[in-house]
Amino acid sequence: MRITQGTFSFLPDLTPTQVKAQIQYALDQGWAVSVEYTDDPHPRNTYWEMWGPPMFDLRDSAGVYGEVEACRSANPGLYVRVNAFDSTRGWETVRLSFIVQRPAVEDGFRLERTEGPGRTQRYALQHRQYAAG
């Protein structure tokens, strides 16, 4: 089982060539690109650690991909993702986000719902571990 967050999450992992192509697409749209990493990919954890500031001034995917590779090397057992932000409307909006590295074993989560008296709903979050792949 795989954590499915962001674009392409239901597909096999992207190759380096595919990652570079997606980065170049984002840059061609005029979007700023950033690299982030975390050990907690829970969907409610929207604040991943930033790998440096967003790259507003780069126009070549090689520079961004170099930062992706540096983040991967420094954080080999963590999740790494690329985000592309569009600021054309006056605020930063995520237009593209995809995971470029996963740990060997991925944590999973399951939401359990139980009904109580008066049709009340109670929820519990269960932690699970899945093997990657």
Side-chain angles (χ1 to χ4, degrees):
M1 190 91 180
R2 294 166 50 102
I3 299 292
T4 52
Q5 293 180 25
T7 311
F8 315 120
S9 63
F10 291 95
L11 299 175
D13 291 338
L14 298 178
T15 66
T17 302
Q18 292 169 326
V19 171
K20 290 176 194 172
Q22 292 304 318
I23 292 170
Q24 191 60 53
Y25 173 80
L27 295 175
D28 290 345
Q29 306 310 305
W31 301 338
V33 178
S34 69
V35 179
E36 299 177 337
Y37 63 96
T38 189
D39 64 346
D40 179 16
H42 188 278
R44 291 189 178 180
N45 177 19
T46 58
Y47 300 105
W48 290 29
E49 299 293 327
M50 291 185 71
W51 181 260
M55 294 165 256
F56 294 102
D57 56 344
L58 292 180
R59 292 289 156 242
D60 181 14
S61 64
V64 177
Y65 191 75
E67 293 300 315
V68 168
E69 285 300 303
C71 184
R72 283 175 165 170
S73 295
N75 302 288
L78 302 182
Y79 290 88
V80 176
R81 75 177 173 195
V82 173
N83 295 316
F85 300 92
D86 179 7
S87 62
T88 57
R89 300 203 187 272
W91 61 84
E92 294 291 318
T93 303
V94 176
R95 295 294 220 144
L96 180 65
S97 179
F98 56 97
I99 294 174
V100 295
Q101 175 176 290
R102 300 168 178 275
V105 175
E106 295 192 58
D107 290 332
F109 305 92
R110 183 180 70 210
L111 189 65
E112 288 186 356
R113 182 180 71 182
T114 56
E115 291 190 36
R119 299 188 66 169
T120 58
Q121 303 288 316
R122 289 193 170 75
Y123 296 92
L125 192 61
Q126 300 296 321
H127 179 262
R128 300 173 68 176
Q129 249 187 8
Y130 303 107

